[in-house]
Amino acid sequence: MKKTVLAFSRLTPAMAERLQADFNVIVPNPKQGDITAQFNEALPEAHGLIGAGRKLGRAQLEGAAKLEVVSSVSVGYDNYDVDYFNERGIALTNTPDVLTETTADLGFALIMGCARRTAELDAWTKAGNWQATVGPALFGSDVHGKTLGIVGLGNIGAAIARRGALGFGMQVLYAGNSRKPALEQELGAQFRSLEQLLGESDFVCLMVPLSQATRQLIGTRELKLMKPSAFLINLSRGPVVDEGALIQALSDGTIRGAGLDVYEKEPLGQSPLFALPNALTLPHVGSATAQTREAMANRALDNLRAALLGERPRDLVNPQVWKG
Ligand code: DGY
């Protein structure tokens, strides 16, 4: 008998077709009513779940008696209660590597965008304001030759650091749990405490995963340690920053600006950030290119398929549950 796969976010027809060869596939359809209700109804029969953007833990999965694997179409897995998965023996997989360069590209888009005020100036130009040569009130800040501080020098952080050091002649500083001798050698990156990095950097780029240790890592105290001319870039997870404190710091000139792809609550329907010209706000699109989303989908499909067919999946987040 075929096992059952249940999608918990959109699945392209191509993805669904690939899975149908081996599994019964259920994809909740918004045209047929409430998605969550459809998901909950199908859950007791599901052996595998695939998707992104849904919190899954004890409260959501208690009725999923047959569940063997959750395949997340994301590298971050803070939406999942891994302790509960371990308790239940449910495998969790993610999609590392395939989004590294694309997300780093967006990191640089945020750096460039907020330093050179591209969104603000685009809106200004389109509003018909360009009547004379632009003056100092609309000048931006240099990026090349400046100091780039990366908090969390993992794969994506390193890819941003490479762009900064090799493409823009930036001095790279980094803070985190461990020293990276290879990157120190390759890029001349220098290790700093978080406090030192905040004080020395022109661009502070947050690339840490969300955990108990990184929740609200950046608040009023940390923002005050930054230079008034500096920019905060966040494309890790929103709750790493105290958003209220950031809004205050952007409003009162504690820092020069921020480039944000992630927020405390997503989607961000309304926010005081929208009234701040020095906040560049993107809708969590770090990995959102057609090519990368397809690569992530394929990687997630491979992981799900392997786990349900009894082969060890490539990207197992909790290897301790794997009995194969
Ligand atoms: C990820 O893969 O974790 C990105 O943030 C997209 O959700």
Side-chain angles (χ1 to χ4, degrees):
M1 257 237 325
K2 280 182 174 180
K3 290 183 173 174
T4 295
V5 166
L6 171 62
F8 58 96
S9 63
R10 269 174 302 163
L11 217 53
T12 64
M15 283 170 80
E17 202 175 307
R18 257 193 75 192
L19 284 169
Q20 267 150 6
D22 295 304
F23 310 109
N24 298 317
V25 182
I26 302 173
V27 184
N29 182 347
K31 289 188 187 140
Q32 286 164 13
D34 183 52
I35 297 251
T36 302
Q38 291 175 54
F39 174 82
N40 287 336
E41 196 184 320
L43 201 53
E45 290 310 312
H47 299 89
L49 301 182
I50 185 165
R54 186 181 277 264
K55 286 215 172 298
L56 293 175
R58 188 180 301 276
Q60 295 77 19
L61 297 179
E62 216 138 45
K66 300 180 181 172
L67 192 59
E68 297 170 25
V69 57
V70 174
S71 174
S72 185
V73 193
S74 68
V75 66
Y77 48 87
D78 45 287
N79 266 339
Y80 311 106
D81 181 345
V82 182
D83 289 340
Y84 176 69
F85 281 40
N86 292 343
E87 187 186 311
R88 288 268 316 269
I90 299 168
L92 175 64
T93 64
N94 67 343
T95 59
D97 309 329
V98 287
L99 47 61
T100 299
E101 298 299 332
T102 292
T103 308
D105 285 348
L106 193 85
F108 241 84
L110 286 173
I111 290 171
M112 297 292 288
C114 62
R116 299 304 304 269
R117 304 169 67 171
T118 53
E120 192 187 345
L121 290 174
D122 171 66
W124 183 87
T125 307
K126 287 174 179 164
N129 289 314
W130 191 17
Q131 308 292 343
T133 306
V134 165
L138 292 177
F139 287 177
S141 307
D142 275 340
V143 175
H144 67 273
K146 296 288 183 181
T147 298
L148 173 60
I150 312 247
V151 183
L153 198 61
N155 290 342
I156 300 173
I160 294 173
R162 239 173 238 118
R163 282 159 177 73
L166 306 179
F168 290 80
M170 299 174 92
Q171 169 66 59
V172 174
L173 308 179
Y174 72 102
N177 291 333
S178 59
R179 293 289 289 260
K180 309 279 175 171
L183 288 168
E184 291 186 12
Q185 179 85 17
E186 179 192 343
L187 305 175
Q190 294 179 15
F191 185 75
R192 294 284 190 275
S193 69
L194 177 63
E195 284 74 12
Q196 288 168 334
L197 180 146
L198 292 170
E200 291 178 46
S201 301
D202 299 301
F203 298 89
V204 173
C205 189
L206 303 176
M207 282 317 313
V208 286
L210 178 63
S211 68
Q212 277 315 101
T214 61
R215 191 173 287 276
Q216 304 239 321
L217 184 69
I218 304 295
T220 303
R221 174 183 160 271
E222 290 72 25
L223 290 161
K224 284 195 170 141
L225 293 175
M226 290 174 64
K227 301 179 192 177
S229 56
F231 297 86
L232 183 76
I233 309 295
N234 189 9
L235 70 160
S236 57
R237 286 294 183 261
V240 170
V241 176
D242 175 344
E243 209 163 277
L246 175 62
I247 289 164
Q248 183 61 41
L250 290 169
S251 309
D252 66 18
T254 300
I255 64 170
R256 174 71 191 83
L260 306 171
D261 189 40
V262 290
Y263 308 90
E264 277 179 351
K265 279 215 172 79
E266 298 179 12
L268 189 65
Q270 279 303 322
S271 169
L273 286 166
F274 298 165
L276 297 172
N278 55 347
L280 176 56
T281 52
L282 297 183
H284 199 149
V285 286
S287 62
T289 65
Q291 299 82 357
T292 292
R293 283 294 167 87
E294 190 182 338
M296 290 166 72
N298 284 331
R299 185 93 167 223
L301 285 186
D302 289 346
N303 283 325
L304 179 78
R305 200 172 167 279
L308 290 179
L309 297 179
E311 296 155 21
R312 186 188 168 96
R314 180 171 175 186
D315 306 305
L316 206 45
V317 169
N318 53 350
Q320 62 271 44
V321 305
W322 190 252
K323 304 277 185 314

